[in-house]
Amino acid sequence: MINRKKLPDAEFEVMNEIWNNASPITTNVLMKKLGKQKEWKVQTLISMLNRLIKKGFLHSEKNGKERTYVPLVKKEDYLKYETENFIKRYHENSIVNLVNTLYSNKKLKEQDIDELSTLLKEWRD
């Protein structure tokens, strides 16, 4: 990953929209998808896109009157980074602590136990 920084929620929403659409994506398309929903003005979106460029998450090019954006960081890479950081910060870098937190006072379903068991066996091999 180019830049290991946690994205603020609004910037993550922009990146998520970019990741979930065909690349390259234009400012107009992003505005149609996020502008009304988030009640953002065009300048707000452009400011976030410029911050994402500076952080190394996006590449931008001007094509005529329209600006296009291409992700430089894969969604999977960013989610992996965020998840690892979360487990390290809040759960002492322990998956067991994470699972205990999620399921304390709750009963795991048999299917969940089977899936976890299969996953652990795969990781071991």
Side-chain angles (χ1 to χ4, degrees), residues 8-115:
D9 290 344
E11 289 177 18
F12 177 76
E13 289 181 51
V14 172
M15 280 306 300
N16 203 37
E17 196 63 49
I18 291 168
W19 284 320
N20 291 335
N21 284 278
S23 186
I25 192 166
T26 65
T27 310
N28 283 337
V29 170
L30 286 168
M31 197 60 200
K32 286 177 187 170
K33 293 181 176 279
L34 293 170
K36 281 186 180 179
Q37 175 189 10
K38 300 294 177 186
E39 298 180 0
W40 290 341
K41 294 182 179 172
V42 175
Q43 194 52 48
T44 303
L45 178 61
I46 290 171
S47 294
M48 282 189 269
L49 290 166
N50 286 333
R51 285 195 302 266
L52 288 163
I53 291 167
K54 286 179 186 170
K55 290 178 181 179
F57 281 84
L58 291 177
H59 171 74
S60 176
E61 289 184 5
K62 184 111 171 147
N63 294 324
K65 292 183 177 183
E66 191 67 75
R67 187 159 284 281
T68 59
Y69 300 90
V70 176
L72 296 175
V73 176
K74 293 179 186 173
K75 183 176 186 176
E76 299 78 26
D77 292 341
Y78 182 74
L79 293 178
K80 182 178 183 218
Y81 162 74
E82 276 290 337
T83 303
E84 287 173 353
N85 196 35
F86 176 81
I87 292 170
K88 185 186 298 180
R89 184 172 181 188
Y90 296 105
H91 298 284
E92 300 171 6
N93 212 24
S94 168
I95 293 175
V96 173
N97 286 351
L98 172 67
V99 173
N100 280 332
T101 300
L102 290 172
Y103 288 100
S104 64
N105 300 327
K106 296 177 191 169
K107 196 100 164 124
L108 278 174
K109 297 178 206 162
E110 196 64 39
Q111 180 182 352
D112 292 334
I113 293 170
D114 291 343
E115 287 178 25

